[in-house]
Amino acid sequence: MQKKRKALRLILFWALAVGWIAVLFFFSGQTAAESGKLSGAIANFVRGIFPFNRIPPDQLERVLRKLAHFCIFALEGFLLCLAMTESSGEISVGAVLSVIACTGLAAANELHQIFFEGRSCEGRDVLIDTGGALLGIAVVALLLRFLRRRKRAPEE
């Protein structure tokens, strides 16, 4: 029963991680016009929620784009670290492999963009993506360490 449960977790974590990679490449495969339309819609939504916001529209869109990079990769780091840790059985191995993989994904994702009209490849975005991934990986590492310590602690 335990082996079956582990196998199901492994399949689930890898399916989520790979599925999210598909989402990453979907967004990087948009033209500048498509990406700008989405960013503009999100910026208008944020303006509607915070009408007192005095940030100029172009600056708000830029901040939201960078925040999206960070958050999308934070989730990828989280999911990939779960999958890698489940595969290796070691939190530290899963975390290190996830950092390497997410950095490679960030670079590949940026390179992918240059094939679409109006898009560019920016090293700064690779750093932002990697920073987001590091946050997601750190959350998994801390969460798993906490859960393992709690599991080992004698019941009172």
Side-chain angles (χ1 to χ4, degrees):
M1 186 68 153
Q2 190 69 0
K3 283 185 179 184
K4 192 175 190 178
R5 199 180 253 172
K6 181 175 173 60
L8 287 174
R9 272 196 324 263
L10 190 63
I11 291 167
L12 174 65
F13 292 158
W14 277 109
L16 290 170
V18 170
W20 196 246
I21 290 169
V23 170
L24 296 175
F25 281 89
F26 168 78
F27 283 118
S28 69
Q30 294 180 321
T31 65
E34 292 168 329
S35 181
K37 187 175 179 182
L38 178 60
S39 296
I42 293 170
N44 287 336
F45 176 76
V46 168
R47 271 193 203 307
I49 294 173
F50 303 106
F52 53 87
N53 180 350
R54 292 196 168 106
I55 299 173
D58 60 326
Q59 286 182 2
L60 180 60
E61 270 191 55
R62 185 172 177 81
V63 168
L64 290 173
R65 282 177 179 266
K66 301 309 174 190
L67 185 60
H69 272 268
F70 188 87
C71 291
I72 286 170
F73 270 86
L75 183 54
E76 183 57 37
F78 183 90
L79 295 172
L80 204 51
C81 190
L82 282 176
M84 297 263 193
T85 300
E86 191 68 28
S87 293
S88 69
E90 294 291 327
I91 297 169
S92 57
V93 172
V96 169
L97 291 174
S98 297
V99 169
I100 294 166
C102 285
T103 301
L105 279 170
N109 198 40
E110 282 299 307
L111 286 171
H112 181 241
Q113 288 182 168
I114 65 173
F115 297 105
F116 298 90
E117 184 182 329
R119 299 296 296 269
S120 64
C121 176
E122 296 184 28
R124 173 182 44 213
D125 285 346
V126 173
L127 294 175
I128 291 168
D129 296 347
T130 302
L134 288 171
L135 175 64
I137 292 164
V139 168
V140 169
L142 292 171
L143 183 65
L144 290 178
R145 286 184 199 273
F146 171 77
L147 292 173
R148 286 183 181 175
R149 280 190 184 148
R150 190 169 176 210
K151 190 175 182 179
R152 281 189 228 136
E155 291 188 31
E156 299 177 299

